[in-house]
Every structure is written in structure tokens, then in C-alpha cells.
Amino acid sequence: MSTDSPAPRHVPVMLERCLDALAPAISAPGSVVVDATLGLGGHSEALLTRFPDVRLIAVDRDPQALELSARRLAPFGDRATLVHAVYDEIPRVLDELDVPEVHGVLFDLGVSSMQLDEADRGFAYAQDAPLDMRMDQTRGISAAEVLNTYSHGDLARILKVYGEERFAGKIASAVLREREREPFSTSARLVELVRNAIPAATRRTGGNPAKRTFQALRIEVNGELEVLDRAIPGALDALAVGARIVVMSYQSLEDRLVKQYLQAGATSTAPPGLPIVPEELQPWLKLLTRGAELATEEEIEENRRAAPVRLRVAERIRRTRR
């Protein structure tokens, strides 16, 4: 990709909802907000524009995304600090920047628009491309390496757990059989293999049958759930009292993990019937969404990638944390 072209414009998912959720916490001068998933910088640009006194710290594991967003956010000068890091490294990033606490954190999980739209990244099953799927192509193993080296048991496990694929065992068997003939390198061959491994009756509903397999491989390659399992507690620890966290998840495994952490912080650990609850046993988070909020029809019409989103918002209400 040429570095001379302007950063592409895109419609950030549920942008107004995110800005409104963060507004009470980041409107004051000196507020610091973390964009944990910078991507093409749409949410970050809107935050810097809407809140002229806010300082932004944005991280992304994708060097190409950082390069594009740096040009997009250049007009904001030193109000925006962009860091090449995975979002479970936010505590380290804040420590290195000498930022003891923040007033807002935004997570827009999943694959960025850029990664989906660029065929050679291998994320999209609708077009033939190298089977890479790494969000940071400078490190880690590719999806092709997973397919060509994992045992039947490991392949079946990630397809079942990460892709919630009912036919994980059949697909894993087909992969092992086919890779003996020729190693996997491109997505079209994998899509065809999955289609043939799944019963015809199942193929007729639920969209592209390869969707779950591609999701599973992407999560495995990027360690997404393990990273998220570290990232949410790290982000919550960084919140000042009155600060807010907004998380948009795109599949149930992510949302379930986020829900567990937010609900745990919003639940008292005092024994039932205790007449006076010590502060250290009281909730330190307040949930600001009833369950997970979904995108409206208008939001989906504006950006079809909002369709699967589950949005959760919480506010830190006291310093004490168990």
C-alpha cells in the first residue's frame, strides 16, 4: 500500500453512542481517554474533535493502522499519542507515559475495517487471499501455519471453542487429509473444504459456512481471548473514580468475558444480611447499560458492521477494588 495516499475514511461503529457514553467522564479539562483499538482512527478523531480539552492515548498492534491513523490525527498535534502495542499492554503504556489514571477507555474489539477490506490480510472468507490473519504481521504464526501444523485435536478444539462450530471434528479431519496432499496457503481452498465438510442441509442457512472457521483461526492466531482476559482488568485498574469504560464486542465469546468482569465489579461480595457493608466489599463499578445494548436499525444501515455488536458501559464509582 502506498504511504502517500490519504487515510481512508470510514464510518466508525456506533460512534454517537460511544461519544455520549464517555461524555460525562471526559468533558473536563485535563481528561485522558484511551482508545484501546485505534484501527483507522475514526473513534479517536471524533473524540478529539468533540472534546477539545481531552488528551488521547491510542494503541494498536497493527503498524499499518498506526501509520494511517497518525496522518489522520496529525492536525491534533500532541493531544494524540499513538503507541504500537496490544491492548493488554495498556498498563505498561500508561506507566511509560507517566499517566497514573485515565477518565475513559474505549474498546472496539474484533477486526478493523482496514484488515477486512484488504484482501492480502486473509481475514475475509469472501475473497481469495493468503491465509495470514495476523493483526500484527511482524510477529506470530499465520493461519496457514496453524492449518498446516496443528494436530487434529488442537484444530478441532479451536474450531469448536472459538468458532462454536458444530462440525469441528469433520472439518479438522478434512484439513489433515488435504494438507497431506498440499499445504494450505490461500483462503479459497479452505472455504471450499469447509463447504464440502458440512452437511448440505446446514449449508443452506446461516450465511457462509466458513465464517465460524475463519473466526476461530483469527482468534487463535492473534490470541484474542487470552489478550482480552488480561486487557479488561488492566483497563479497569487504570480508571479514575468517575471514569467510564465502553466495550463493543462482535461475538459471544468476547462479550461473555467482558460481562463477567463488569458484573463482578458491580456486585457486592458481602455475606447476605450483613448490617453494615465495609467499603472493600461494596461494588466499585456501576453498570450503565441494561445487559448488552444492540445497534439500532439506523446504525446498522449506516454501517452494516454494527449488526453483531454488543455494547457495554460501566463507571468506576469508588477507588477500592478487591
Side-chain angles (χ1 to χ4, degrees):
M1 161 173 274
S2 170
T3 57
D4 297 327
S5 60
R9 296 285 153 177
H10 73 295
V11 180
V13 173
M14 297 174 74
L15 176 60
E16 290 302 317
R17 194 99 63 100
C18 293
L19 296 178
D20 290 345
L22 289 168
I26 65 172
S27 297
S31 295
V32 179
V33 63
V34 173
D35 186 342
T37 45
L38 175 62
L40 287 174
H43 288 102
S44 283
E45 182 182 49
L47 284 163
L48 289 163
T49 302
R50 175 80 63 89
F51 306 101
D53 294 318
V54 82
R55 176 189 177 187
L56 172 84
I57 298 169
V59 304
D60 204 292
R61 64 167 70 182
D62 189 332
Q64 190 177 16
L66 285 164
E67 181 184 351
L68 291 169
S69 290
R71 295 204 300 274
R72 182 174 191 166
L73 303 180
F76 298 99
D78 60 7
R79 290 180 57 210
T81 303
L82 278 54
V83 182
H84 182 213
V86 188
Y87 45 67
D88 66 337
E89 298 176 292
I90 286 172
R92 174 186 63 78
V93 170
L94 295 177
D95 184 60
E96 291 177 355
L97 294 172
D98 197 25
V99 176
E101 59 184 18
V102 301
H103 306 90
V105 180
L106 172 65
F107 284 89
D108 183 10
L109 302 174
V111 188
S112 76
S113 300
M114 179 192 71
Q115 291 162 341
L116 280 172
D117 291 340
E118 293 197 358
D120 62 0
R121 303 298 293 270
F123 288 100
Y125 44 80
Q127 48 194 341
D128 195 19
L131 277 167
D132 194 311
M133 299 194 195
R134 289 173 297 169
M135 293 179 181
D136 181 351
Q137 292 182 307
T138 67
R139 66 180 79 175
I141 65 170
S142 68
E145 291 175 87
V146 171
L147 289 168
N148 293 324
T149 63
Y150 275 31
S151 67
H152 179 277
D154 284 341
L155 273 176
R157 174 185 55 80
I158 67 169
L159 293 176
K160 182 176 181 179
V161 175
Y162 296 160
E164 300 178 288
E165 173 58 70
R166 285 190 296 153
F167 303 101
K170 292 187 67 173
I171 294 171
S173 295
V175 167
L176 263 66
R177 185 171 60 249
E178 282 297 307
R179 79 188 189 191
E180 288 299 314
R181 185 170 64 84
E182 181 184 351
F184 284 89
S185 60
T186 60
S187 56
R189 184 175 170 218
L190 177 60
V191 170
E192 186 64 21
L193 177 148
V194 173
R195 191 185 308 276
N196 292 335
I198 290 176
T202 304
R203 293 201 302 267
R204 286 193 284 270
T205 59
N208 194 311
K211 178 180 180 180
R212 293 179 294 276
T213 293
F214 273 64
Q215 173 181 299
L217 287 170
R218 190 200 81 218
I219 291 173
E220 174 69 11
V221 165
N222 296 290
E224 290 179 39
L225 291 180
E226 292 89 346
V227 170
L228 185 61
D229 198 19
R230 297 187 293 269
I232 297 298
L236 291 173
D237 276 342
L239 295 179
V241 175
R244 292 186 173 190
I245 183 171
V246 177
V247 186
M248 289 184 286
S249 306
Y250 291 76
Q251 40 97 354
S252 59
L253 296 171
E254 292 172 339
D255 183 58
R256 195 175 305 142
L257 196 55
V258 173
K259 175 184 176 181
Q260 287 171 355
Y261 278 113
L262 297 189
Q263 285 193 336
T267 302
S268 170
T269 57
L274 202 65
I276 299 177
V277 179
E279 185 174 359
E280 65 269 16
L281 301 183
Q282 294 178 18
W284 54 276
L285 286 179
K286 178 182 179 182
L287 304 182
L288 301 179
T289 47
R290 293 179 57 125
E293 290 187 359
L294 306 179
T296 63
E297 290 182 8
E298 291 77 12
E299 286 167 331
I300 295 171
E301 186 175 335
E302 185 180 26
N303 185 347
R304 60 183 175 81
R305 287 173 182 159
V309 170
R310 299 169 176 89
L311 179 142
R312 296 181 185 271
V313 184
E315 178 180 325
R316 186 165 197 155
I317 57 175
R318 59 173 44 85
R319 171 55 49 195
T320 304
R321 181 171 180 190
R322 300 175 293 280

